Amino acid sequence: MTSAAEVAELARKSLLAADLSGFTDLFASDAVFEYPFGFLGAPPVLRGREEIRTHLVESRRPVRATIEPTEMASTVHETTNPEVVVVEWELAGTNLATGKPFRFASGVGVMTVHDGEITRYRDYTNPIGAATATGRLPELIAALTARAE
């Protein structure tokens, strides 16, 4: 049986390769993906592998067009529940428009794995780090400002 830590490593490899469809293949057909702190432009909860796939592939397309990932580091913290791990993600790469390298803590995920598939993923993402790496910080600021008004 594939452990939660092993699934987290498979996720890291898919994310480094910018293979969001492959990342989504790790999810159970009825998985739940959540943004507990919110994610601008995304619903707080996605249900089912295909809804998760559609969201991740479409929402990350502009990001993928602006950066080239070179390293995806993860620190996996096992919990008292063998099906749950907490994963700290760090992404490094190059901004394709500027040629400048970047490195930032891209977020923390709480992953629940049952029978080798992710059944629940809570994504505590770092939108400021991502917007800075992709050169889209002014867009994020404008969107947050508009939301606050």
Side-chain angles (χ1 to χ4, degrees):
M1 182 185 306
T2 308
S3 73
E6 290 167 330
V7 172
E9 175 58 14
L10 294 171
R12 186 195 68 77
K13 289 177 180 178
S14 293
L15 292 170
L16 174 59
D19 180 6
L20 293 169
S21 187
F23 172 66
T24 309
D25 287 341
L26 299 170
F27 285 75
S29 62
D30 61 347
V32 175
F33 187 105
E34 302 169 82
Y35 291 109
F37 292 161
F39 186 78
L40 203 56
V45 178
L46 299 151
R47 298 186 186 282
R49 181 188 305 128
E50 294 313 311
E51 184 175 74
I52 296 165
R53 183 186 320 276
T54 299
H55 163 70
L56 290 177
V57 169
E58 291 303 315
S59 70
R60 302 308 196 273
R61 190 179 316 272
V63 172
R64 183 61 188 106
T66 60
I67 64 170
E68 181 66 38
T70 57
E71 183 184 343
M72 181 79 179
S74 63
T75 302
V76 177
H77 303 277
E78 297 189 58
T79 69
T80 57
N81 180 341
E83 293 189 332
V84 177
V85 292
V86 177
V87 186
E88 296 178 69
W89 304 105
E90 183 178 88
L91 182 65
T94 304
N95 180 300
L96 296 173
T98 65
K100 291 183 180 177
F102 65 83
R103 177 179 295 275
F104 69 100
S106 64
V108 172
V110 179
M111 185 183 299
T112 303
V113 176
H114 183 75
D115 289 335
E117 294 182 310
I118 301 169
T119 57
R120 183 177 183 200
Y121 189 86
R122 285 171 285 159
D123 190 344
Y124 298 89
T125 195
N126 177 358
I128 294 172
T132 302
T134 60
R136 299 177 69 197
L137 189 57
E139 287 177 51
L140 177 62
I141 292 168
L144 289 171
T145 301
R147 188 179 201 188
E149 293 175 351

